[in-house]
Amino acid sequence: MDNEEILISAVYQLFDNAKSMYGDIIENYWFYDGETCPGCGRQIDTLKFGDEDAISLNAYMYRDMDTLIAYLLCSNCASEIFRKSKKSKAIYPKIEENLKNSYLDFVKKSSS
Ligand SMILES: [Zn+2]
């Protein structure tokens, strides 16, 4: 499998897990596949775990739309959040706002 296939299967797995955890609460699933990090606008890059490259795959529940959004973070934001640093608290609202806007754009485009 190449990286993209690995990513796609990871996203599906995440959606599957979420479905068994939350069931009918989630009506839609969406993957934010932008090139840039929703936390800071940098290019998405990989994290290093020893010799392995890893990506930071996360999910956000957009309750108003009953939609679970999966997204990637850059290595900077991912490590801030992983460390639960003070900065990480400031990253979350940005991520949420960017994801909501992108999703609403997507919905508008697909309905027109
Ligand atoms: Zn970032």
Side-chain angles (χ1 to χ4, degrees), residues 37-42 73-78:
C37 172
C40 67
R42 276 180 28 162
L73 287 176
C74 73
S75 57
N76 262 10
C77 292

